[in-house]
């Protein structure tokens, strides 16, 4: 499996602005934020693409969803709302081949599906 920039962040080989970490996930600020709050959440158990999640145990996918929701809560976004995005593959605009959820918030977001 290709070593990505997110593998290196997870191994602390390159710096990141961490906002949350536990045994299951790491959340850190996007280096090129598209909104006032732009945080990426990755599972410590590596998957490359969202499309792989059809084959994983429900617990693995469910825990990841719960953690994404908890990170958004800890960022204070519950009341104002936010967007969660998984880009998947070339047509989805995925640049880093390590599954990650984008949490975007802090302003009223424009909806543009591409
Ligand atoms: P995607 O296009 O869904 O693969 O998103 C990849 C995201 O990773 C982009 O929003 C980038 O700005 C972000 N990114 C790339 N390198 C870093 C880094 N070193 N630290 C934080 N975010 C990064």
């Amino acid at each position: 499996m290709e070593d990505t920039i997110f593998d290196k962040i997870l191994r602390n080989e390159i710096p990141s602005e961490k906002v949350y970490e536990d045994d299951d996930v790491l959340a850190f600020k996007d280096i090129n934020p598209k909104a006032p709050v732009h945080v990426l959440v990755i599972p410590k158990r590596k998957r490359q693409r969202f499309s792989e999640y059809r084959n994983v145990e429900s617990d693995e996918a469910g825990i990841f969803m719960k953690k994404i929701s908890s990170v958004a809560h800890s960022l204070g976004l519950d009341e104002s709302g936010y967007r969660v995005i998984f880009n998947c593959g070339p047509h989805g605009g995925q640049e880093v081949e390590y599954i990650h959820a984008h949490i975007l918030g802090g302003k009223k977001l424009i909806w543009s599906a591409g």
Side-chain angles (χ1 to χ4, degrees):
M1 219 184 268
E2 180 201 347
D3 201 37
T4 70
I5 198 146
F6 293 172
D7 293 276
K8 294 184 174 75
I9 285 174
L10 202 49
R11 297 195 300 261
N12 285 310
E13 291 170 7
I14 61 169
S16 67
E17 276 194 76
K18 294 179 187 175
V19 299
Y20 179 79
E21 182 167 17
D22 66 15
D23 289 344
D24 299 311
V25 300
L26 173 67
F28 53 95
K29 291 187 183 175
D30 195 293
I31 204 166
N32 183 20
K34 305 286 191 302
V37 179
H38 188 172
V39 165
L40 304 174
V41 190
I42 63 172
K44 290 195 170 175
R45 179 163 185 184
K46 185 177 183 180
R47 303 291 181 185
Q48 289 182 290
R49 292 186 180 181
F50 186 80
S51 50
E52 288 172 43
Y53 266 44
R54 76 186 188 283
N55 293 322
V56 307
E57 295 294 328
S58 302
D59 269 9
E60 182 184 336
I63 286 168
F64 190 35
M65 289 304 119
K66 281 187 73 136
K67 296 292 167 90
I68 295 164
S69 179
S70 295
V71 170
H73 173 76
S74 70
L75 293 167
L77 297 174
D78 281 353
E79 195 173 330
S80 55
Y82 55 93
R83 186 170 294 156
V84 177
I85 296 174
F86 286 93
N87 293 326
C88 180
H91 280 189
Q94 184 176 4
E95 290 172 1
V96 181
E97 287 275 326
Y98 189 129
I99 190 171
H100 51 281
H102 296 255
I103 297 175
L104 295 148
K107 70 169 187 179
K108 176 110 175 107
L109 300 165
I110 297 164
W111 174 243
S112 168

